[in-house]
Amino acid sequence: MPEAEPLRPGDPVRLGPYRLLGRLGEGGQGVVYLALAGPGRQVALKLLHTRLTGNPQARHAFARELAAAQKVDPFCTARVLAADVEGDVPYIVSEYIHGLSLKRMVEKWGPRKDTQLHRLAIGTATALAAIHKVGVVHRDFKPSNVLLGPDGPRVIDFGVARAMDLMTAPSSGGPIGTPAYMAPEQFSNTPADTSADVFAWASTLVYASCGEPPFGDDSISTVINRILHVDPDLGGLTGGLRELAAACLVKDPRSRPTAEQLVLDLIGSGGQERELPVPPPPVSLTPSASPAPPVSQVPAVRPPAGSAAQPTVSRAEIRAVQRAQRRGGRAKAGLLLLAGALSGALALGAVMAWPSGGEQNPRPGRTAAGTAPAEAMPKLGPVMELSSTDGYGYTLAAVKGGTEEIGGDEYAYIDYMIANVQEQPVPLEKPGDLFLSRDKAPEGVPCAPQPGAPADRCTVGNATTVRAVLGDSQPIMMIDGEEHMAAGSSYLLRVRTLDPVAKGLTEADLGLYVWEVRFVADRMARHLEFPE
């Protein structure tokens, strides 16, 4: 989800046990807030608009959204944690997904390409198959309703979803959805079913490939006319993805594939019970003296056939998939097959990337690759979105600050989280800089001020190390001899002064700032607040 905006006048600051921190978004039905549900536990809280609380139809639609979201497997959506749809102030509390929407991702960093696009297609088609399997039609599948979480895409916002058993008659009040992603039948008196979601899935995939939906996004009347009468523009899609999208965007809903068929086509099995080799790693692991280009520009290296560097899905996994297929769970089976293959590839990458024992003599400010332990996600302060001049995207959040004793002296430190929000490995950056109160600075050491930071705060020489791999994230990867963050992974970094500081320093004397020009064009320091 995007970085929260400040609360507005009139917004509640607390709702039951939840403390509201900021706004994540707003729609016709309600406002979604970032909230705290306890120490360090962030959640998304959707609150029905006050003007709608007395409207029985609005309340019924809100309850229907809750029922639809609760039916869906949590691997593909934001899990519902709590709700009160009968009280004076109806709300739904769901899991907070750390990640941008597909729409925001494309706006900030451009269209998805190659492996990124194929991975997105598989993840979203699998989610759609799971949604349809429990008898729910989403009816508003679009880029802003796809969140690119650390563990894959999640489909959110079931505000206009309907159960299939309620689709026997058209709904009143005109078409429901976002016009640029709606199927032709949604503009007629025909009730939309799962095939409309498949149409929207293909439109979303086209958007991901080029930044525009297949029928444009200008005036509503023009877009509707194109959807009804004009062939789609398939943007940057090529090969099999282009053919699949074209099949999904036909005018006749009866001719479109199902979401389950999409999954089987995308993983390449075609429903056959055969062994699927995992694609070769997308990057070269050979050390190079030249700077590492973005991963999308590095040619793939295919290991020799039959070598240990070409993992395949195990026979046991194949049998599990076949059993699931016979039980009718083919969509979920496809996901299991894909997950097993990817986990094998990642494990192999770890073995190839890190020699036993790691680096013998890590340089100051670096961490030996593969040596950081795993830890649970700590309590975080407000999250900051960050992009580098190279076009890579990150999120940051402060964790804690203080002092640690080394050799009888005290050194100031700040721990903070950095996350890779992209669906590919990105260079490990260490953008957080420790600022401290000037009267606590090391004696005889220059303490530099920075525009944007308070006048009584300055920064001294410091070094940053990787302290831990957070949650279920993958370890740091070595690509062409440089440290990279795995796709969708989060890490705990510690920035620490190189010289001892004055005694009695506390967290209140410290501040975490980002100010380097490759992240902040105006070099005005941005502050990351500690969690409360």
Side-chain angles (χ1 to χ4, degrees):
M1 288 188 176
E3 184 179 353
E5 298 176 358
L7 294 173
R8 298 176 186 172
D11 282 337
V13 294
R14 184 170 289 276
L15 190 61
Y18 306 102
R19 184 162 67 85
L20 277 54
L21 304 178
R23 284 173 163 244
L24 293 172
E26 181 176 4
Q29 191 182 47
V31 181
V32 181
Y33 296 96
L34 177 64
L36 274 182
R41 188 187 179 199
Q42 293 181 326
V43 296
L45 188 151
K46 184 171 184 177
L47 186 65
L48 186 66
H49 280 309
T50 305
R51 66 177 185 274
L52 299 177
T53 55
N55 184 326
Q57 280 188 313
R59 279 181 170 269
H60 177 71
F62 204 60
R64 191 176 65 213
E65 174 179 1
L66 171 64
Q70 287 176 322
K71 282 184 177 182
V72 176
D73 217 324
F75 81 85
C76 63
T77 188
R79 181 166 50 97
V80 175
L81 304 174
D84 180 1
V85 296
E86 302 295 337
D88 293 337
V89 186
Y91 65 87
I92 299 172
V93 180
S94 61
E95 178 185 8
Y96 175 69
I97 308 299
H98 289 274
L100 301 179
S101 70
L102 175 60
K103 185 175 188 297
R104 185 75 184 278
M105 178 74 77
V106 171
E107 287 173 346
K108 290 195 73 172
W109 294 298
R112 308 291 86 193
K113 299 180 183 298
D114 305 324
T115 304
Q116 294 176 342
L117 198 56
H118 198 242
R119 188 184 296 118
L120 175 71
I122 293 173
T124 50
T126 303
L128 200 56
I131 291 168
H132 292 172
K133 187 178 178 183
V134 295
V136 172
V137 182
H138 191 282
R139 298 204 302 171
D140 199 19
F141 193 102
K142 57 185 178 181
S144 58
N145 283 340
V146 175
L147 295 183
L148 302 178
D151 52 356
R154 308 279 193 100
V155 179
I156 62 165
D157 198 349
F158 290 81
V160 297
R162 294 291 295 270
M164 292 180 194
D165 56 5
L166 297 177
M167 303 303 294
T168 54
S171 57
S172 60
I176 296 176
T178 303
Y181 298 92
M182 289 168 62
E185 61 271 21
Q186 289 179 276
F187 299 105
S188 68
N189 247 359
T190 306
D193 60 12
T194 55
S195 61
D197 282 350
V198 169
F199 189 98
W201 173 85
S203 298
T204 297
L205 198 62
V206 170
Y207 174 86
S209 76
C210 65
E212 292 287 339
F215 300 97
D217 197 14
D218 37 4
S219 73
I220 292 177
S221 59
T222 302
V223 169
I224 292 175
N225 181 66
R226 292 191 194 115
I227 290 173
L228 295 174
H229 304 295
V230 178
D231 289 337
D233 180 344
L234 298 178
L237 296 180
T238 59
L241 282 184
R242 189 177 183 89
E243 294 174 6
L244 206 55
C248 296
L249 292 171
V250 296
K251 310 299 183 189
D252 183 355
R254 296 168 298 179
S255 300
R256 297 173 202 147
T258 65
E260 182 179 320
Q261 289 170 337
L262 292 178
V263 175
L264 293 174
D265 282 345
L266 286 164
I267 65 174
S269 70
Q272 300 174 16
E273 298 176 354
R274 62 186 178 90
E275 196 167 12
L276 296 175
V278 173
V283 296
S284 168
L285 297 176
T286 305
S288 170
S290 60
V295 173
S296 60
Q297 298 178 12
V298 181
V301 177
R302 183 180 294 276
S307 70
Q310 191 180 20
T312 56
V313 180
S314 70
R315 296 284 182 186
E317 289 171 318
I318 288 290
R319 286 195 292 272
V321 170
Q322 292 168 355
R323 286 195 298 272
Q325 288 176 332
R326 285 194 291 272
R327 290 195 301 267
R330 299 176 77 182
K332 189 172 289 187
L335 181 72
L336 290 171
L337 179 63
L338 179 67
L342 289 176
S343 64
L346 286 169
L348 175 71
V351 172
M352 294 177 67
W354 299 297
S356 177
E359 249 181 277
Q360 295 300 313
N361 296 297
R363 296 191 297 277
R366 289 173 60 92
T367 299
T371 61
E375 288 186 8
M377 184 67 71
K379 182 178 180 180
L380 302 176
V383 174
M384 174 188 291
E385 295 175 9
L386 205 62
S387 58
S388 69
T389 51
D390 296 323
Y392 297 116
Y394 307 85
T395 55
L396 273 67
V399 174
K400 64 178 180 179
T403 60
E404 60 179 325
E405 187 175 321
I406 303 175
D409 292 319
E410 287 189 359
Y411 293 76
Y413 75 87
I414 293 177
D415 288 347
Y416 66 98
M417 180 276 297
I418 184 168
N420 171 13
V421 298
Q422 298 187 218
E423 294 187 340
Q424 67 175 45
V426 299
L428 172 63
E429 293 282 4
K430 299 169 182 176
D433 199 0
L434 182 153
F435 280 64
L436 73 171
S437 297
R438 190 174 292 276
D439 60 344
K440 302 291 185 181
E443 246 183 88
V445 174
C447 195
Q450 178 63 38
D456 63 343
R457 294 286 174 99
C458 53
T459 183
V460 296
N462 56 65
T464 303
T465 55
V466 180
R467 297 282 295 177
V469 178
L470 296 178
D472 297 326
S473 298
Q474 296 296 324
I476 297 293
M477 307 168 65
M478 294 301 293
I479 300 175
D480 283 341
E482 295 293 329
E483 292 173 314
H484 279 62
M485 303 168 64
S489 291
S490 305
Y491 307 93
L492 183 68
L493 304 186
R494 171 165 290 186
V495 53
R496 188 181 67 203
T497 59
L498 296 176
D499 297 285
V501 296
K503 299 287 185 181
L505 182 144
T506 66
E507 187 177 84
D509 296 309
L510 299 173
L512 183 67
Y513 291 84
V514 176
W515 59 273
E516 292 183 59
V517 69
R518 69 177 184 276
F519 302 109
V520 183
D522 60 6
R523 296 195 68 152
M524 294 291 290
R526 269 59 163 180
H527 182 220
L528 288 99
E529 297 179 3
F530 290 114
E532 295 184 0

